[in-house]
Amino acid sequence: MFDALDPLPPDPILGVTAAFRRDTYPLKVDLGVGVYRDDRGITPVPLAVREAERALIAAQTSKTYVGPAGNLEFNERIVELALGPLTSRLGPRIATIQTVGGCGALRLGAELVRVANPEAVIHVSTPTWANHEPLVGSSGLRLERYPYYVAARRDVDFDAMHDHVNRLPAGAVVLLHGCCHNPTGADLEVEQWRALADVFERRGLLPFVDMAYQGFGDDFETDVTGLRVLVERVPQLLLALSCSKNFGLYRERAGALAVVARTAEAAAAVATHQARLARRMYSMPPDHGAAIVARLLADTALRRQWIDEVATMVTRMKSLRALLAERLAQRQPTRDFGWLTHQRGMFSLLGLDDAQLHELRERHHVYVPADGRMNVAGLSELNVDYVADAIASLTN
Ligand code: LMR
């Protein structure tokens, strides 16, 4: 059966971690996979999350099945974190299912679209996260790309994006990054979200918002401004939520897919399809991470503590951006590195070509994926000069 299978190349992001681990060079630097790191290089579990986990384990007396929709309290609370007061306004028009991380939400969302309309096309940004196309494309839906980023300005090419979206037919699905665009770090301004909301409403397009980094851009409210602008305007929307980064629950695979439907009846039907899709793929999601999140969000003190802890992470990422910009400017004083501090979240594109990226890894042992995305959380006071030297030597 399996003798004819050829081995596949390594995953474009996870393969970087494996290559980094194999490298024995003492000064090697990992700016690859998108995980937060503190100044010791550790990806911490926030203390509030650990406390919620301890309380959960102490109280849990059974591990019987939950159900395909997962932890219902989690579903409610995680959507409320993203949509705020809009949650109660929309009430029964929202159908939420707990998923296997944010990836599970993206895949389930695509499967749901295919059930509703197998001819639907999903439009993804250029560039986008390396796993977006494999995840949603494996549903069998056709994918197309919309322009998003202009490398020369290191910013969003909003006119091109707007023009493109403004020509899409009704029913087209547009996958958007809610905040902290992966891999560019270039986010839409609130006015641009408003202009997009106009187009989506007028042309009957379906936004599919991937919100994997709420809290990692500026704060938990600012980061969802664009999402909420859309939700207020469009009758239908898909929302993929992830608890990997902001709760530090990466391997627990906690996420959710929320669907805003036109009516409560439509949402009730969506919920049955979500459950059937999950049952047919993996039956039900893992409980542990979602149960921790539900407990934490229900506890006012823990919730406050966790928000503070995430704010500390954001401060660190912003200061690392500023530090790298400063160190690069020392080496290349005629160049402008303001884009580094303007961009948001963990990622920015280095803007290096394939040969430079090869050198970066082979000669300097600095690891990034092949698209040249850098995880700024992998920088530190200790390695920033080494990294700045490497980048400057390749771009002088
Ligand atoms: C990333 O973008 O590096 C993370 O979201 C991890 C992953 O699964 O690719």
Side-chain angles (χ1 to χ4, degrees):
M1 166 74 87
F2 305 116
D3 300 343
L5 288 182
D6 289 325
L8 294 169
D11 180 85
I13 294 176
L14 305 181
V16 176
T17 310
F20 175 80
R21 286 183 182 149
R22 284 194 302 270
D23 189 339
T24 54
Y25 188 66
L27 298 179
K28 65 182 180 174
V29 180
D30 182 6
L31 306 180
V33 69
V35 297
Y36 175 79
R37 292 205 178 86
D38 64 17
D39 52 11
R40 297 160 302 158
I42 290 170
T43 301
V45 184
L47 294 177
V49 172
R50 291 175 62 178
E51 188 46 48
E53 183 173 35
R54 261 193 291 274
L56 172 75
I57 290 170
Q60 197 167 55
T61 51
S62 173
K63 286 195 182 284
T64 186
Y65 290 127
V66 274
N71 182 317
L72 302 185
E73 185 186 350
F74 164 80
N75 291 349
E76 242 170 65
R77 293 191 183 279
I78 201 69
V79 170
E80 205 270 335
L81 184 72
L83 298 186
L86 292 172
T87 318
S88 52
R89 219 196 292 166
L90 292 165
R93 283 180 51 208
I94 308 178
T96 308
I97 183 166
Q98 185 198 322
T99 54
V100 184
C103 288
L106 288 162
R107 180 57 182 272
L108 205 84
E111 296 287 345
L112 185 68
V113 169
R114 196 169 65 97
V115 167
N117 176 13
E119 302 306 318
V121 177
I122 303 197
H123 298 258
V124 299
S125 68
T126 313
T128 197
W129 174 45
N131 207 25
H132 262 159
E133 293 194 21
L135 264 179
V136 297
S138 298
S139 67
L141 288 174
R142 197 151 68 79
L143 297 184
E144 282 184 19
R145 301 198 173 104
Y146 62 85
Y148 183 80
Y149 179 74
V150 55
R153 283 195 287 109
R154 295 186 184 262
D155 206 351
V156 178
D157 190 352
F158 187 69
D159 290 344
M161 177 190 190
H162 186 270
D163 277 5
H164 183 98
V165 174
N166 203 20
R167 277 184 270 115
L168 295 181
V173 183
V174 183
L175 186 58
L176 299 159
H177 298 232
C179 66
C180 308
H181 186 273
N182 182 359
T184 70
D187 281 347
L188 296 167
E189 305 290 341
V190 64
E191 282 314 315
Q192 297 172 331
W193 282 103
R194 288 207 182 92
L196 275 187
D198 282 344
V199 179
F200 276 84
E201 190 184 20
R202 190 161 32 78
R203 299 196 67 81
L205 310 178
L206 180 63
F208 189 168
V209 181
D210 182 4
M211 184 57 78
Y213 293 90
Q214 185 182 358
F216 262 41
D218 286 303
D219 57 68
F220 280 93
E221 292 297 301
T222 310
D223 290 355
V224 287
T225 311
L227 167 68
R228 292 183 188 174
V229 164
L230 273 183
V231 172
E232 289 206 72
R233 294 287 297 282
V234 299
Q236 306 180 92
L237 178 139
L238 290 144
L239 174 61
L241 295 165
S242 167
C243 303
S244 295
K245 330 281 168 165
N246 49 13
F247 288 88
L249 284 168
Y250 306 86
R251 67 176 67 159
E252 300 293 354
R253 311 311 297 141
L257 172 72
V259 177
V260 177
R262 215 182 287 277
T263 62
E265 293 70 40
V270 163
T272 64
H273 283 278
Q274 287 172 327
R276 189 167 78 172
L277 284 166
R279 180 76 170 140
R280 288 180 178 184
M281 280 197 279
Y282 53 81
S283 188
M284 48 193 95
D287 176 64
H288 192 66
I292 294 169
V293 170
R295 186 166 270 267
L296 184 151
L297 292 176
D299 183 314
T300 314
L302 280 185
R303 187 177 175 128
R304 200 172 307 123
Q305 183 188 345
W306 164 69
I307 287 174
D308 288 348
E309 288 184 76
V310 175
T312 304
M313 297 183 196
V314 174
T315 304
R316 175 178 151 74
M317 288 187 283
K318 286 186 176 177
S319 68
L320 288 169
R321 285 181 170 281
L323 191 62
L324 180 62
E326 178 203 293
R327 299 300 158 91
L328 284 171
Q330 283 169 0
R331 288 156 178 84
Q332 297 177 318
T334 57
R335 299 205 183 160
D336 177 15
F337 296 100
W339 51 274
L340 260 171
T341 49
H342 179 68
Q343 294 172 354
R344 286 285 171 273
M346 287 204 277
F347 308 121
S348 281
L349 287 178
L350 286 168
L352 302 178
D353 63 27
D354 289 350
Q356 290 167 323
L357 288 167
H358 182 80
E359 283 280 278
L360 189 66
R361 180 187 291 204
E362 298 306 318
R363 190 147 63 87
H364 301 286
H365 305 261
V366 175
Y367 285 76
V368 299
D371 60 1
R373 184 192 78 174
M374 147 182 75
N375 173 11
V376 297
L379 295 168
S380 70
E381 288 276 354
L382 294 179
N383 67 24
V384 68
D385 281 304
Y386 179 82
V387 172
D389 277 339
I391 296 171
S393 77
L394 296 169
T395 51
N396 268 328

